[in-house]
Every structure is written in C-alpha cells, then in structure tokens.
C-alpha cells in the first residue's frame, strides 16, 4: 500500500529511531524479567533474549550512526569514566561482602537462597 510512488509510512530515519528506542525498552524489560526469575531455565531464556536484543540494538545503532541518522553525545573524559568504574566496583564489593556476611550468619540468611521460603511454594503449582 505504501510502496506506490515511493511513499512510506514515515521517514526511514524516524522509523529506525523508533525501532532503536523500542529495543532499548525491550532490553530493560528482559533485564527486569531476568532478575525476577526464580526458575533457572526461565532466567537463562531471558538472559539469552537480553543478549540477542543487545546485539541487534548495537547493529542497528552502528548502521544508523554510519548513515548519519543518529548523533552521539560528546566524548566523556577518561578521568570521569575511571571514577564511575571505581564507584561501581566499590558498590559491587560492598554488596558481595554483605551477601557473604548474611550467608555465613545463622538463621534464615544462613540458608542457601534457593531454600528460603521454598516450603511455602512447594505445594503451590503456580510457582516454579
């Protein structure tokens, strides 16, 4: 219908930008689903979907960038990047220490995570 006289639904650049934005949103949704999955096979499925979507998003971004359809932000200073990486590593280390501390404590936190609350879900067919 839109192919007559070289007319299209919308300009190609706008269409590609919409697809790119949708892929970004999809990655966020898959990431949320991954982190909230209790079943290892479901978690792996969402991890694979996230990775595949990230690859497609990267390919589309490169295509748009090569065709001057997407302007990138200005370059970041290396010192600012290093600072952000250092802060992220510190946070990660603190989280790992917290988890180790709670895992070695007695009580509910001492149980492996897959056993916590397992009895409540064993008889319920809606939980995986």
């Amino acid at each position: 219908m839109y192919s007559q006289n070289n007319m299209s639904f919308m300009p190609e650049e706008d269409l590609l930008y919409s697809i790119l934005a949708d892929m970004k949103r999809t990655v966020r949704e898959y990431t949320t689903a991954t982190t909230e999955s209790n079943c290892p096979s479901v978690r792996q499925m969402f991890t694979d979907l996230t990775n595949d979507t990230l690859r497609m998003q990267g390919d589309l971004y490169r295509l748009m960038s090569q065709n001057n359809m997407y302007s990138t932000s200005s370059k970041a200073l290396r010192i600012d990047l290093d600072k952000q990486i250092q802060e992220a590593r510190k946070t990660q280390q603190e989280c790992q220490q917290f988890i180790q501390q709670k895992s070695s404590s007695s009580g509910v936190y001492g149980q492996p995570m897959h056993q916590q609350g397992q009895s409540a879900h064993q008889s319920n067919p809606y939980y995986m």
Side-chain angles (χ1 to χ4, degrees), residues 82-92:
D82 289 341
K83 183 179 177 183
Q84 291 294 321
I85 290 169
Q86 185 178 14
E87 288 176 12
R89 286 183 179 153
K90 181 181 176 196
T91 301
Q92 182 182 27

Side-chain angles (χ1 to χ4, degrees), residues 55 97 119:
R55 277 189 285 280
Q97 289 172 348
S119 61

Side-chain angles (χ1 to χ4, degrees), residues 13 17 20 24 61 64-65 67-73:
E13 183 175 346
Y17 189 82
L20 186 67
K24 291 179 189 180
Y61 164 77
M64 291 176 69
S65 182
N67 290 294
N68 297 320
M69 294 180 171
Y70 194 97
S71 59
T72 59
S73 58

Side-chain angles (χ1 to χ4, degrees), residues 100-112:
Q100 285 178 337
Q101 178 186 15
K102 295 300 179 183
S103 294
S104 63
S105 298
S106 61
V108 175
Y109 291 113
Q111 296 177 2

